[in-house]
Amino acid sequence: MRLRKTISLVAVAGMMAGCTSTGGVRQPSGPETVAPEKALVLPPPGGPSIVSVVERKRGNGVEQTISLFTSSSVPGQNFLNVQFFGASGANPGIGNAGYSMINESGISREVARSAPGVPMATSATFLQNAYGPFGYASGRSRSGDSCIFAWQQIRSSAAANTQARNFGMIQLRLRLCDANASERQLLGIVYGYTISGTFDGVIWNPYGNPPPADVALGRTGAPIYPDEGGYRASPMPIGHEPAPAIVSRPRAVPARSVSPPAQGAAPMPAPIGPRVPLPGDAPQARITPDAAAAPDEQAGQTARAIGVTVPSPDCIGDAAMTAACRR
């Protein structure tokens, strides 16, 4: 009898619980679209612009795939993928994300899938942006589009992890293909993006302890200059040097040009031979060839005037050879 009463009481409690439920529809936790301003990583000013942001909450962190504007004939979408590892309790029901370090084999597979049909080559040059070292691979499609795939892992040093803090980690992937930009222009986006997301609590800080201040601050014998480079720049000139005086040159007077003769006026013919002076004219001066060759030596000297004698009518023809006409 007691067993039957217990079963009856359980059945009645179940029926009462069913009657009090709201019957609402609930969507299981999964990927969801969030506003672009809630992206955990922002592209640099000037683009590429954000198209959409898909967020997945895990038991040990958050992952976002940020789709970017794409102008390329290469199949696929430009994106920024960011994973925050370390925060616990965000969404325990969906499971934990794989907490694995970046390795060469895994990156090779991601590079091959990033730009189908584009031969990608990994750069061996050590590069570093504001968040630390990063790597990238680049290639060019047959149509001339430039593509890069960059990756970065942000994590504090092993020495900082032994202090029971700085356990968080951030991993980023960037895929960009563009028909008009060069490889260097696309690489500039890796230097310009900003990580806006943070962890709750210093225990998950992925950046480690802040670096100490510069040893030159406040030290004697280490001047700091206002130009770029600080105390490492070249010394500033000491003393005041006035600006050089501006010497104004006199304006050159343009040469006066001889006005051309008026239209319709016939040009005057040049005189040929010696001109016979008219009665009452002053005697003409004739300059010797030496004076023409050396005008400076003849300056100050008066040119010798030579009068011109008009022959008599009696000394024309054969009479010009007589002794009277020769005088």
Side-chain angles (χ1 to χ4, degrees), residues 47-146:
S49 60
I50 297 177
V51 177
S52 65
V53 181
V54 178
E55 183 178 87
R56 299 174 180 84
K57 294 182 178 179
R58 307 278 187 177
N60 62 340
V62 180
E63 178 183 358
Q64 281 188 352
T65 300
I66 304 167
S67 299
L68 304 175
F69 173 77
T70 305
S71 176
S72 174
S73 59
V74 179
Q77 175 76 34
N78 290 343
F79 65 84
L80 247 172
N81 181 270
V82 57
Q83 294 177 310
F84 281 70
F85 294 100
S88 59
N91 194 355
I94 201 172
N96 295 336
Y99 191 90
S100 60
M101 306 288 286
I102 292 180
N103 55 73
E104 185 176 356
S105 60
I107 284 295
S108 299
R109 291 191 294 268
E110 294 185 38
V111 170
R113 294 193 300 264
S114 63
V118 178
M120 305 285 285
T122 303
S123 174
T125 306
F126 179 84
L127 301 176
Q128 183 171 311
N129 60 8
Y131 300 99
F134 69 91
Y136 82 101
S138 61
R140 185 176 292 273
S141 66
R142 294 182 178 179
S143 57
D145 298 4
S146 299

Side-chain angles (χ1 to χ4, degrees), residues 130 155-157 159-160 163 165-166 202 205-214:
R155 189 183 183 188
S156 61
S157 62
Q163 302 174 4
R165 57 188 301 169
N166 306 329
V202 296
N205 175 28
Y207 304 104
N209 300 325
D214 197 322

Side-chain angles (χ1 to χ4, degrees), residues 11-37:
V12 171
M15 292 176 62
M16 292 179 64
C19 294
T20 56
S21 63
T22 58
V25 178
R26 182 177 62 86
Q27 184 179 15
S29 299
E32 59 180 352
T33 303
V34 298
E37 56 267 20

